[in-house]
Amino acid sequence: MNAERDLSPLAPGVVRALTDKLYEKRKVAALEIEKLVREFVAQNNASQIKHVIQILSQEFALSQHPHSRKGGLIGLAACSIALGKDSGLYLKELIEPVLTCFNDADSRLRYYACEALYNIVKVARGSVLPHFNVLFDGLSKLAADPDPNVKSGSELLDRLLKDIVTESNQFDLVGFIPLLRERIYSNNQYARQFIISWILVLESVPDINLLDYLPEILDGLFQILGDNSKEIRKMCEVALGEFLKEIKKNPSSVKFAEMANILVIHCQAADDLIQLTAMCWMREFIQLAGRVMLPYSSGILTAVLPCLSYDDRKKNIKEVANVCNQSLMKLVIPEDDEMDEAKPSMTIPAEPTSEESLSKPEAATTGELPHHGRNEFHVTTLNQPLSFPCSCERIQVTLNLDGIVQVLDYHLSDTSIGMMTRIAVLKWLYHLYIKTPRKMFRHTDSLFPILLRTLSDESDEVILKDLELLAEIASSPAGQTEEGHGPSDGSDVRPGPVELHVPARAGQLSSSSAKGLECSPSTPTMNSYFYKFMINLLKRFSSERKLLETRGAFIIRQLCLLLNAENIFHSMADILLREEDLKFASTMVHTLNTILLTSSELFQLRNQLKDLKTPESRNLFCCLYRSWCHNPVTTVSLCFLTQNYKHAYDLIQKFGDLEVTVDFLTEVDKLVQLIECPIFTYLRLQLLDVKNNPYLIKALYGLLMLLPQSSAFQLLSHRLQCVPNPELMQTTDNTKPSTSFKRTAASNIDYTELLQHFEKVQNKHLEARHQRAGRAEQLDRRVVL
């Protein structure tokens, strides 16, 4: 700059001093400028004041010469001091050139700029608030300045500005939020610290309601919470804690729905502190907002369910997640099943909800936090204006089961998921079938296969919950289907009429469910899924023999408790009667028979069969008998149970025509052991009544004759030796009516036809064994050749 150039009203000596490299000379020049401006103020000469500021700005502060820029900065500060309370009229002209110098490459010049701005702001005080955004923008850059002197100077200016904002009620929060939302995503450690410090200040000012704009900065706060600096993490944790306290105090004014997606995302964070904090927020949101959170259920479950299987290293997260899960479950009510889905209803928020996107397992379970746009979750991009309905509006919330069921299905199908998560999923499905059965049965066909596969789970507790759910599906009146709308699998169509009675399950059916039961054309039989369940369960046992061996009895016994034992055995016997795999049929019948004879859960059913006093019990016996014929020894044991001793004797007589194998003799051995058990106490006592039970004794002798002289032979032989007066074991004339009440009670059973059926089934088994043997022989020949 030409020092001789006319820059009046600045004197040439002042101009030369402003460009001097020595600070002291520039300071003297600044004092002269201050004196000059004071004179103009006294004269009320605004044009000359503006002219001086313009010269200092254009010719000095924005000059290419570094010393001139320094002179311009101190000169502008001097103008502000001279103007005093009138500086507010010229703030734009004073501030802009100083802020430009914040970007200077020379750290000393940046420091002088900071010093100049400090003096300008100190004089103007509240008048600078209309320019707060540009000041904040400049300060946020200096906060990350590498020079410690510049950073120290910016901190002084920052404290001054905070004092002004705190003591003023003119702060423009609406205009400031977009800038805050933008800068909150800075990755610089010092910039983050600067942002958090300002949020804490604004939150502490009573006249500033930052809570209204929390949805716009919450995502950025959670990202800062993951900073490497412990100090910054602590500051952010405090800020979030203050916001949460405010939310608890004023829940009616909180925009819960607008922040739900943000929490869902951060509840899946890899950082433990972020995840725990977000989960705590989610817990409070669900408890405070209630059904407002229901449209976000699928996303919440995506975040919460995996946490339920955390070990003790993440115990806190697990506990909070469990509370979230329980609280969310309580939000589902029976009225959700009554809502007319065809009727339009508003959900929260007004734009498309996250139900579809959050339910996508591939997006929701990665645990990654994408950029703040987060398109996978349909979260509104945080650097765009937000538009939400008022939280206090009455908004009808509709439960969208599709997304929820999709998430539950995914987590149940994932073999790597933890046991507690699988249990929680099954509890959720059970809860939904209880609260919203009509809607849930639309998903049953898709859920059924995975529920059946879950029966192979390693955990007994998972299997128990799975069985409870399957039992609810099989017995719920909402599962009744009208004609032509039965189970989709054509192969599962029920082959014949079987009377299946609904057990009493008080307290589980809503009024709407009871109404559905009354209207069902199949009342009082089980719903359409019961028989489908039995068919598919037997198919699974057939294809997975290990499951039958290790868990078969456990599963059937539990089902007998959950449903009705008579229904279970009646339907399975009916299905096994048509089973083409005869070897499996024999194995399955043996399993069912063992359960029937030994399980405490079947006590009532055994008593029902023992006497055959009612038509229902006789009908059940005949149904079981026809299937039990797949296994000769179990057929005899069924006759012993039902006190059909003559028929048992007739069956044993037929054993001479059967192929006696080691397996066959083993089963006879087990039957002898069973006769000594408490279940057959009544049978052993009947041995005392030789006159009325001759065929019981003859049947037992028949078993004795079948056995080789083993320990079972000795056991049964000793038992028969206890029978009094063996010479009285003379059979009466078959044509004379029996004096036994037992024979009278079951007189309408055609035992001849049952015996013929037994022979027919055994012939099938014999033919099948021969075929298997023939195939094995052909295979051996091929191997030899």
Side-chain angles (χ1 to χ4, degrees):
M1 183 180 70
N2 187 357
E4 302 301 323
R5 184 178 173 186
D6 183 18
L7 295 176
S8 59
L10 298 183
V14 171
V15 171
R16 283 194 299 273
L18 279 178
T19 59
D20 198 279
K21 65 179 180 178
L22 295 176
Y23 173 76
E24 293 299 327
K25 289 187 177 182
R26 296 196 301 271
K27 186 176 180 181
V28 170
L31 291 173
E32 290 296 323
I33 292 172
E34 180 183 343
K35 182 179 178 182
L36 178 65
V37 173
R38 286 185 188 278
E39 291 176 0
F40 290 147
V41 170
Q43 300 166 8
N44 200 22
N45 193 341
S47 60
Q48 283 288 54
I49 294 172
K50 285 185 178 179
H51 186 52
V52 171
I53 294 174
Q54 185 178 12
I55 291 172
L56 292 171
S57 172
Q58 300 296 325
E59 303 296 332
F60 289 90
L62 301 179
S63 169
Q64 296 297 317
H65 193 278
H67 296 313
S68 295
R69 292 201 295 276
K70 294 173 185 177
L73 290 170
I74 197 171
L76 289 170
C79 286
S80 178
I81 293 170
L83 287 166
K85 62 180 181 179
D86 293 332
S87 64
L89 301 172
Y90 308 95
L91 275 176
K92 186 174 187 296
E93 294 81 0
L94 289 168
I95 289 173
E96 285 184 352
V98 178
L99 289 174
T100 301
C101 293
F102 276 9
N103 298 317
D104 199 282
D106 186 351
S107 62
R108 291 293 299 168
L109 203 142
R110 294 197 304 274
Y111 175 79
Y112 287 133
C114 190
E115 183 182 52
L117 188 58
Y118 179 87
N119 288 316
I120 293 170
V121 171
K122 186 175 182 180
V123 172
R125 301 298 294 182
S127 299
V128 302
L129 289 178
H131 308 278
F132 178 81
N133 279 9
V134 292
L135 294 174
F136 181 88
D137 184 53
L139 272 176
S140 66
K141 296 173 183 176
L142 289 187
D145 199 284
D147 187 271
N149 291 322
V150 176
K151 193 182 296 181
S152 176
S154 72
E155 288 173 358
L156 287 173
L157 176 58
D158 180 50
R159 282 198 291 272
L160 175 61
L161 201 56
K162 285 173 180 173
D163 289 340
I164 294 170
V165 169
T166 303
E167 67 191 23
S168 172
N169 57 3
Q170 302 296 320
F171 183 72
D172 182 14
L173 184 61
V174 176
F176 172 61
I177 287 298
L179 179 62
L180 179 61
R181 183 180 61 201
E182 176 189 342
R183 291 304 166 92
I184 203 168
Y185 286 104
S186 171
N187 290 322
N188 183 276
Q189 192 176 77
Y190 298 105
R192 283 180 163 182
Q193 191 171 18
F194 172 77
I195 292 290
I196 291 295
S197 68
W198 267 101
I199 289 174
L200 284 168
V201 167
L202 294 176
E203 175 62 14
S204 67
V205 179
D207 294 332
I208 297 177
N209 188 9
L210 196 57
L211 193 61
D212 283 346
Y213 302 93
L214 183 57
E216 304 194 44
I217 62 172
L218 184 62
D219 180 69
L221 283 172
F222 273 107
Q223 292 205 25
I224 293 176
L225 190 61
D227 195 273
N228 293 328
S229 166
K230 289 183 179 180
E231 183 181 355
I232 293 175
R233 286 165 74 98
K234 186 63 179 177
M235 286 179 65
C236 190
E237 200 174 355
V238 170
L240 286 167
E242 290 299 317
F243 276 121
L244 194 55
K245 287 179 184 177
E246 195 69 23
I247 288 170
K248 291 178 183 179
K249 289 179 184 177
N250 306 289
S252 59
S253 62
V254 178
K255 299 173 182 177
F256 290 105
E258 290 84 325
M259 295 182 276
N261 282 329
I262 297 170
L263 294 184
V264 164
I265 294 167
H266 292 290
C267 280
Q268 302 171 74
D271 185 282
D272 287 356
L273 180 59
I274 294 176
Q275 189 178 26
L276 177 59
T277 307
M279 200 68 74
C280 289
W281 275 61
M282 184 67 78
R283 175 190 62 196
E284 298 300 332
F285 272 37
I286 296 171
Q287 293 177 352
L288 293 171
R291 286 176 60 82
V292 170
M293 301 296 289
L294 210 53
Y296 305 91
S297 297
S298 61
I300 296 170
L301 287 173
T302 298
V304 166
L305 288 173
C307 301
L308 301 179
S309 293
Y310 283 172
D311 55 25
D312 288 343
R313 289 173 294 179
K314 295 186 176 183
K315 184 179 179 182
N316 292 340
I317 299 174
K318 178 180 178 179
E319 289 175 351
V320 179
N322 187 53
V323 175
C324 289
N325 183 56
Q326 296 296 327
S327 300
L328 186 65
M329 192 179 290
K330 291 176 183 177
L331 298 181
V332 182
I333 56 178
E335 285 72 16
D336 289 317
D337 206 32
E338 302 297 328
M339 289 182 181
D340 184 4
E341 291 181 337
K343 187 177 181 180
S345 60
M346 288 181 64
T347 55
I348 300 172
E351 63 263 31
T353 68
S354 62
E355 199 68 51
E356 296 84 1
S357 56
L358 282 175
S359 62
K360 293 180 181 178
E362 60 271 22
T365 58
T366 58
E368 297 178 359
L369 295 178
H371 189 61
H372 52 271
R374 287 186 174 83
N375 294 329
E376 298 93 327
F377 294 89
H378 287 203
V379 177
T380 306
T381 305
L382 295 180
N383 57 7
Q384 297 295 327
L386 297 176
S387 175
F388 297 110
C390 179
S391 293
C392 61
E393 291 180 333
R394 285 181 171 271
I395 299 177
Q396 182 182 0
V397 178
T398 302
L399 177 69
N400 180 3
L401 278 180
D402 293 346
I404 296 176
V405 172
Q406 187 177 355
V407 170
L408 296 175
D409 185 288
Y410 172 79
H411 282 85
L412 195 58
S413 304
D414 187 358
T415 55
S416 64
I417 212 75
M419 179 190 74
M420 296 309 297
T421 297
R422 297 197 300 278
I423 291 172
V425 169
L426 292 168
K427 285 182 177 179
W428 254 102
L429 289 170
Y430 183 82
H431 182 71
L432 291 173
Y433 270 105
I434 294 295
K435 296 295 182 181
T436 60
R438 183 177 61 85
K439 289 183 179 179
M440 276 303 294
F441 267 95
R442 299 171 191 172
H443 301 278
T444 301
D445 285 338
S446 62
L447 288 171
F448 218 65
I450 181 61
L451 294 179
L452 286 167
R453 288 199 297 273
T454 305
L455 292 175
S456 302
D457 198 275
E458 296 177 355
S459 166
D460 285 351
E461 194 171 351
V462 171
I463 295 175
L464 279 173
K465 293 300 177 186
D466 191 33
L467 289 172
E468 287 180 14
L469 175 55
L470 286 165
E472 177 60 30
I473 293 173
S475 62
S476 173
Q480 298 288 2
T481 55
E482 297 181 7
E483 189 174 355
H485 296 80
S488 57
D489 187 356
S491 63
D492 290 350
V493 176
R494 194 164 146 184
V498 177
E499 187 76 4
L500 301 173
H501 302 286
V502 180
R505 305 178 68 197
Q508 282 198 356
L509 301 178
S510 63
S511 58
S512 60
S513 299
K515 192 181 297 182
L517 177 60
E518 293 169 7
C519 299
S520 171
S522 57
T523 305
T525 61
M526 290 295 231
N527 70 34
S528 57
Y529 284 94
F530 175 81
Y531 206 76
K532 183 178 182 179
F533 174 32
M534 293 297 105
I535 289 173
N536 283 279
L537 179 60
L538 288 174
K539 282 182 179 179
R540 187 144 191 87
F541 284 150
S542 178
S543 61
E544 195 174 339
R545 297 298 173 86
K546 186 178 179 181
L547 175 64
L548 176 60
E549 293 171 7
T550 58
R551 298 290 181 81
F554 172 73
I555 290 171
I556 294 169
R557 287 171 59 187
Q558 292 303 318
L559 283 175
C560 288
L561 288 174
L562 294 166
L563 294 167
N564 180 283
E566 180 179 351
N567 290 344
I568 301 292
F569 274 77
H570 206 156
S571 58
M572 284 192 170
D574 185 66
I575 297 164
L576 288 170
L577 189 59
R578 294 157 181 82
E579 175 61 51
E580 295 180 357
D581 185 346
L582 298 181
K583 188 173 182 181
F584 166 70
S586 177
T587 303
M588 194 67 223
V589 162
H590 177 74
T591 302
L592 288 171
N593 186 69
T594 303
I595 296 168
L596 176 63
L597 293 178
T598 61
S599 299
S600 58
E601 296 85 355
L602 278 298
F603 174 79
Q604 187 175 350
L605 187 60
R606 284 197 296 272
N607 281 347
Q608 184 180 342
L609 285 168
K610 188 167 69 173
D611 295 327
L612 298 182
K613 290 180 179 179
T614 64
E616 291 79 14
S617 61
R618 293 193 287 272
N619 179 42
L620 176 61
F621 165 72
C622 291
C623 179
L624 295 180
Y625 180 94
R626 294 178 186 279
S627 289
W628 262 230
C629 287
H630 283 298
N631 190 306
V633 180
T634 60
T635 313
V636 171
S637 67
L638 180 64
C639 291
F640 282 159
L641 175 65
T642 57
Q643 303 184 67
N644 281 297
Y645 301 136
K646 182 179 185 307
H647 194 69
Y649 172 70
D650 292 339
L651 286 174
I652 293 171
Q653 289 291 93
K654 297 290 182 180
F655 284 5
D657 300 327
L658 302 179
E659 182 181 2
V660 178
T661 63
V662 173
D663 290 339
F664 176 86
L665 293 175
T666 301
E667 290 193 24
V668 175
D669 189 299
K670 290 179 181 178
L671 176 57
V672 170
Q673 303 290 340
L674 201 59
I675 289 171
E676 294 297 319
C677 291
I679 294 168
F680 280 117
T681 300
Y682 67 91
L683 180 146
R684 298 196 300 272
L685 288 173
Q686 286 172 350
L687 292 175
L688 297 174
D689 188 1
V690 177
K691 182 177 180 181
N692 288 323
N693 296 291
Y695 286 105
L696 169 58
I697 299 171
K698 295 190 73 170
L700 293 177
Y701 268 110
L703 291 179
L704 188 66
M705 295 304 107
L706 286 170
L707 286 169
Q709 294 193 27
S710 59
S711 58
F713 177 89
Q714 297 297 330
L715 186 66
L716 184 55
S717 176
H718 289 158
R719 174 62 64 185
L720 289 172
Q721 288 173 15
C722 297
V723 175
N725 302 319
E727 64 274 6
L728 297 178
M729 292 169 51
Q730 300 295 323
T731 58
T732 58
D733 188 352
N734 290 337
T735 60
K736 294 181 181 180
S738 172
T739 58
S740 170
F741 171 79
K742 176 66 189 167
R743 299 282 69 79
T744 304
S747 59
N748 62 342
I749 297 177
D750 187 350
Y751 289 98
T752 302
E753 189 274 332
L754 292 180
L755 199 59
Q756 290 172 353
H757 177 77
F758 175 82
E759 291 176 342
K760 181 180 178 181
V761 172
Q762 291 310 309
N763 287 333
K764 284 185 179 180
H765 277 271
L766 182 61
E767 183 179 346
R769 281 196 295 271
H770 288 166
Q771 289 177 353
R772 288 196 297 270
R775 287 195 294 270
E777 186 178 350
Q778 289 177 3
L779 185 61
D780 289 343
R781 288 176 181 175
R782 289 177 187 173
V783 171
V784 171
L785 291 174

